[in-house]
Amino acid sequence: MLTELPYFADSARLFESVADEPWAVLLDSGRRPLSPSRYDIITAQPHTTLVTRGTLTEIRSRNGVELSRDDPLQLLGRHLQPATPNEPELPFCGGALGYFGYDLARHWHALPVVAQDAEHLPEMAVGIYDWAVVVDHLERRSWLASAGRDAETERLWPALIGCFSRPAVERARLPFRLTAPLASNFTPSGYAAAFARIHDYIRAGDCYQVNLAQRFAAPAQGDPWLLYQALRVVNPAPFSAYLHTPDAHILSASPESFLRVRAGQAETRPIKGTRARNGHPRLDAEIIETLRQSEKDRAENLMIVDLLRNDFAKNCDEVRVSKLFEVESYATVHHLVSTVTGRLKPGHSALDLLRGCFPGGSITGAPKLRAMQIIEELEPHRRGIYCGAIGYLGYNGDMDLNIAIRTLVYSHQIARFWAGGGIVADSDPAGEYQETFDKAAALVNLLQRNTASNLG
């Protein structure tokens, strides 16, 4: 089922129609027509949801509720069968959308239990959707598309066309604001001690690189959809997303693609290496060149490229590094980005690739398992959704997931977000600590600007 809709340059105006529905999703390309992520995808009203907490996954559908201890990705795969093709022009016509939290990795990796779980959110929250609005900002066209797997979709089709053929009337919303100042779970001295411990592990030969993150949190109130609309203006990013789940609102302005599969061709684009933007064209050009030539950042990036090549080799042939050490610029930072590609082996699926690569090496370190064990030891709180992945897996076997960085999670009237960086043998503690603030700058500035008058 496929109907062309009027095109609107701002997909937020269309998403307004469903923003308040539980399980509403906006995958947002940041309105960058020449970026790798040119499509926006809007959907809601999944006919089935899969929510994993610990060893149990709750599968809820119109037929009732089922609990399972099976592998969450195996369960998800069953709900994506049988495979059906997409309309060739569109990236998504139905399937699974949602998030895979960092701690979902505990299903496949032996990790200690040390860090505090302050959020108590599901490790996986995914809906199975039969329809989606797909907006192509390059072609300036929009479609309502469906795989036709749910009998309800045909009945709803005329109403969906009417709903998304015109922008929704904006609703009165309570401005989002913090009700106390942001607080980090690391003091400067606490961060320095964790940094020193990582260096001890590196010198002992335990690891080569560990990603260390600090968590910012504050009580808050108001409408997170209103906050996300402001965030996408001040910090547009090509792998952004807004998810309204029953347990949390997730606001992601991620610049990083984790895994993409198209017709069996797989790609990952790890980020390693960051510099703050200056704002002056000549000075920014100098900063970009310094980043591009930095031996430390290139070595850090290459470590993760090698890790991902190995992860890809579990499920892919023809594994190649197609781009190495390219610089991409965003609202507040410049990043060093590489690209690894491969082709799925016969009998291997996008879900197999996800399991083999999860979580992304760029946000763990190398070797991955040891780095994750050290992260659990040194970071005071579990990461939850941060450093997991957000995106879709289609009925046609394709997949597109981001790395959930630059991501704010709002639940139980607490706003939380994280920022981290990879630590290697020649890292400088002051520089690494400052890098976390550079990465958090867009969210920090937005929240403080919206809240300054209320906190005095």
Side-chain angles (χ1 to χ4, degrees), residues 139-159:
E139 297 291 337
R140 299 179 65 82
R141 300 177 74 183
S142 299
W143 293 267
L144 177 65
S146 172
R149 302 276 280 261
D150 181 18
E152 281 291 292
T153 304
E154 187 171 358
R155 183 182 67 81
L156 293 172
W157 202 251

Side-chain angles (χ1 to χ4, degrees), residues 25-78:
V25 178
L26 167 62
L27 302 184
D28 186 357
S29 67
R31 294 172 293 171
R32 292 157 56 110
L34 299 181
S35 79
S37 185
R38 81 190 205 194
Y39 297 98
D40 296 342
I41 297 173
I42 295 169
T43 191
Q45 305 164 357
H47 58 80
T48 304
T49 59
L50 292 88
V51 175
T52 300
R53 296 178 185 272
T55 60
L56 276 179
T57 298
E58 178 192 87
I59 305 158
R60 186 177 293 270
S61 70
R62 297 189 190 102
N63 297 324
V65 178
E66 173 191 352
L67 296 176
S68 176
R69 294 188 184 275
D70 290 354
D71 180 305
L73 296 190
Q74 287 184 354
L75 291 170
L76 181 55
R78 293 170 200 164

Side-chain angles (χ1 to χ4, degrees), residues 360-377:
S362 65
I363 46 73
T364 59
K368 181 185 290 187
L369 178 57
R370 187 65 186 117
M372 292 174 69
Q373 292 167 346
I374 294 169
I375 288 167
E376 179 72 12
E377 172 194 333

